[in-house]
Amino acid sequence: MKKLYGVIGDPIGHSMSPDMHNDSFSALQIDAHYQPFHIKSEDLKTAVAGMKAIGLSGFNVTVPHKTAIMPLLDEIDPLAQAIGAVNTVVREENRFIGYNTDGEGFVRGLNEEYGSSVLDKKIAIIGAGGAARAIYYTLSQQGSIRVDIANRTPEKAEELKNRCPYPVETVLLSLEELEKQLGHYDILIQTTSIGMSPKVSETPISVANIRPDAFVSDIIYNPAETMIMKEAKKQGARVQNGLKMFVYQGALAFEKWTGVLPDPKRMQKIVEDKLGGTSC
Ligand code: NAP
């Protein structure tokens, strides 16, 4: 019988996950379908029970349900528990198990573009929201040595650091301090929403002091090149956007559901075509 997967969120109409996953099911000749479900917060509990009852084999979870869904699941993977958010649910018999593939998706995409492991590099993260949490905890879990954080609201960065269950050396900086000390870092990870519409001409910090051999990874992928990426390129730095993070979080979810890692290049092409162009 055809297996059913999906993604739940509110809104959900813009999601590129259905095209990405359905293409991979078809390319791998897996008899399955991936469907978007528009679920409002007040219906989340009923929706999860309904998905279990109708036999959904797994699903992705997006805004605003990534944290709210956690008490509704039967088990949470330790990394997802630490991050405090679930983006992938796997069905095992009659149990729903929650995972978070955002951080691992980011690290895979970063390693690929950087050309080697980043764990021994000196890394700075701008931002301390949900995406930064997934990235920081995953880097720490995988053995990163030094990951500093700069956020507009210092208390949020402090909370992120204090709650990290994995050993990592972290200095908390203001955005101004990071600007001045940028020359110390090999890799800068931009996780704020600055650079997305309507703030396409803004950057969260000036990158005038970045080293020409540094690497800037912005997790935004629409627009394909944010202002901070443009400015960093002018200083000679290499850059990447958030497309690989998005593709790999999806590929890793697919692998958890089916045991097969789909072709990330094929997935990326689907998303690029949907976005109407290529990206970095
Ligand atoms: P979030 O939890 O709302 O966090 C937003 C972060 O941006 C916070 O650190 C916030 O600082 C900072 N920020 C917002 N406006 C700011 C401003 N004007 N000046 C300075 N800092 C500002 O959001 P999120 O879920 O982490 O998502 C962040 C971005 O990542 C979004 O653009 C999202 O689309 C993107 N994203 C991409 C992927 C991917 O697959 N590529 C996955 C997830 C998210 P404060 O703490 O001071 O408010």
Side-chain angles (χ1 to χ4, degrees):
M1 198 171 72
K2 192 184 271 297
K3 288 193 167 175
L4 182 61
Y5 298 88
V7 54
I8 61 168
D10 179 23
I12 200 63
H14 65 287
S15 175
M16 287 177 286
S17 296
D19 286 331
M20 201 167 75
H21 287 287
N22 282 324
D23 175 75
S24 292
F25 284 139
S26 135
L28 292 162
Q29 298 185 324
I30 295 172
D31 188 18
H33 178 74
Y34 185 104
Q35 179 72 29
F37 297 104
H38 184 189
I39 307 293
K40 297 210 169 289
S41 292
E42 60 267 31
D43 297 326
L44 184 62
K45 191 174 178 185
T46 319
V48 171
M51 289 188 292
K52 193 177 261 189
I54 63 172
L56 225 75
S57 299
F59 55 98
N60 285 128
V61 185
T62 187
V63 178
H65 304 316
K66 285 184 173 188
T67 300
I69 197 165
M70 294 177 73
L72 305 174
L73 301 175
D74 298 296
E75 189 181 328
I76 309 281
D77 166 74
L79 178 60
Q81 191 76 57
I83 293 168
V86 159
N87 80 325
T88 300
V89 175
V90 177
R91 186 191 196 104
E92 273 182 26
E93 310 230 316
N94 203 31
R95 305 178 75 240
F96 275 162
I97 303 168
Y99 295 89
N100 190 307
T101 65
D102 283 330
E104 170 68 17
F106 172 81
V107 176
R108 290 245 188 150
L110 178 60
N111 282 339
E112 191 174 284
E113 203 72 21
Y114 192 71
S116 62
S117 169
V118 301
L119 298 181
D120 63 342
K121 303 298 171 199
K122 202 168 168 198
I123 299 174
I125 298 178
I126 312 173
R133 184 177 294 269
I135 291 169
Y136 175 59
Y137 287 2
T138 305
L139 284 168
S140 308
Q141 187 213 31
Q142 294 190 1
S144 263
I145 295 162
R146 175 72 185 261
V147 185
D148 294 348
I149 305 171
N151 193 46
R152 176 180 61 177
T153 311
E155 298 77 27
K156 288 199 191 156
E158 202 169 333
E159 192 194 344
L160 198 63
K161 179 184 170 186
N162 290 343
R163 291 192 171 204
C164 183
Y166 310 108
V168 62
E169 195 188 325
T170 297
V171 171
L172 302 179
L173 304 159
S174 66
L175 295 173
E176 295 73 24
E177 285 168 333
L178 178 60
E179 259 182 15
K180 286 189 197 130
Q181 295 173 30
L182 260 190
H184 297 160
Y185 295 96
D186 303 304
I187 296 171
L188 178 65
I189 303 170
Q190 193 309 103
T191 73
T192 76
S193 43
I194 297 179
M196 283 178 79
S197 179
K199 296 185 173 157
V200 287
S201 57
E202 294 179 26
T203 61
I205 61 166
S206 157
V207 287
N209 293 328
I210 201 155
R211 292 204 315 259
D213 65 341
F215 188 92
V216 175
S217 183
D218 192 332
I219 67 166
I220 293 170
Y221 57 86
N222 192 12
E225 192 170 73
T226 57
M227 190 52 75
I228 199 170
M229 292 166 64
K230 286 185 184 145
E231 296 296 325
K233 269 166 78 175
K234 284 187 199 156
Q235 304 298 323
R238 288 193 296 141
V239 299
Q240 84 173 137
N241 68 16
L243 188 57
K244 278 192 196 291
M245 174 181 181
F246 176 70
V247 164
Y248 271 109
Q249 64 75 32
L252 291 165
F254 191 103
E255 186 182 33
K256 287 193 184 302
W257 295 325
T258 64
V260 183
L261 185 70
D263 178 1
K265 289 198 170 58
R266 192 181 168 109
M267 286 181 140
Q268 184 166 330
K269 175 84 174 53
I270 294 277
V271 180
E272 283 171 348
D273 286 350
K274 251 204 128 175
L275 288 170
T278 54
S279 56
C280 317

